[in-house]
């Protein structure tokens, strides 16, 4: 666990350039652990750099104003609850050509009135020719709408 509190609706993040443990490389608006290239805290304006290999546990937790996220092909794992309660998320662009299994909790939300968890209503955009693989991959196959793109 990282020494960061649960912060909702952040609009920007900057890490001091002299920090030896974390950075915010390429002005990405995120906190990245240098040693592991793991994104540990993101916000609504995060652009995940291609040098990041893991999106950490609860890294975007509660970022309700996050509407879109692009996941670069460099990502090798996405930990549990990474995008949990990102209620405004409506567009997930995955550049991953060989999707790996993820937990359903990664892209789930929570209805406080019924006290139940449900999967995001976001549209998942995937590289051309990979939709059938995403439809078989745990977690990813829960997206109700998966669209192939030319990008």
């Amino acid at each position: 666990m990282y020494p960061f509190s649960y912060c909702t609706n952040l609009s920007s993040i900057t890490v001091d350039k002299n920090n030896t443990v974390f950075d915010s490389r390429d002005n990405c608006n995120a906190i990245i652990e240098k040693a592991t290239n793991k994104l540990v805290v993101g916000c609504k304006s995060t652009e995940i750099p291609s040098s990041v290999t893991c999106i950490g546990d609860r890294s975007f937790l509660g970022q309700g104003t996050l509407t879109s996220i692009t996941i670069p092909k460099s990502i090798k794992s996405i930990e549990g609850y990474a995008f949990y309660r990102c209620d405004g998320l409506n567009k997930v662009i995955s550049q991953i050509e060989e999707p790996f299994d993820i937990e359903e909790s990664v892209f789930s939300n929570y209805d406080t009135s019924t006290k139940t968890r449900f999967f995001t209503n976001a549209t998942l955009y995937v590289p051309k020719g990979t939709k059938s693989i995403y439809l078989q991959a745990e977690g990813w196959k829960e997206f109700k709408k998966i669209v192939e793109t030319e990008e």
Side-chain angles (χ1 to χ4, degrees), residues 8-139:
T8 60
N9 300 321
L10 293 171
S11 58
S12 66
I13 299 172
T14 305
V15 177
D16 186 292
K17 65 181 180 180
N18 296 317
N19 190 311
T20 59
V21 179
F22 299 102
D23 67 36
S24 186
R25 62 191 71 160
D26 305 324
N27 297 313
C28 65
N29 281 309
I31 299 174
I32 300 167
E33 185 178 48
K34 289 180 177 183
T36 62
N37 289 316
K38 177 191 284 191
L39 188 148
V40 295
V41 177
C43 69
K44 72 177 185 177
S45 56
T46 293
E47 292 185 26
I48 303 171
S50 60
S51 57
V52 171
T53 57
C54 176
I55 299 173
D57 179 62
R58 295 173 170 83
S59 53
F60 288 87
L61 176 67
Q63 296 298 320
T65 57
L66 176 69
T67 58
S68 176
I69 193 72
T70 298
I71 301 171
K73 59 183 163 186
S74 61
I75 299 298
K76 304 297 179 214
S77 65
I78 304 175
E79 296 177 352
Y81 298 95
F83 296 94
Y84 187 66
R85 296 195 77 176
C86 290
D87 304 333
L89 189 61
N90 59 40
K91 183 177 185 181
V92 176
I93 302 167
S94 176
Q95 297 174 339
I96 300 167
E97 294 172 347
E98 294 182 27
F100 44 83
D101 290 348
I102 59 174
E103 295 176 24
E104 285 185 32
S105 67
V106 169
F107 289 103
S108 61
N109 291 322
Y110 184 75
D111 185 330
T112 54
S113 62
T114 62
K115 297 186 174 145
T116 56
R117 191 173 76 182
F118 62 95
F119 201 78
T120 184
N121 288 321
T123 299
L124 174 63
Y125 295 88
V126 300
K128 186 174 183 174
T130 63
K131 181 177 178 177
S132 62
I133 304 169
Y134 275 88
L135 287 169
Q136 295 174 16
E138 291 301 320

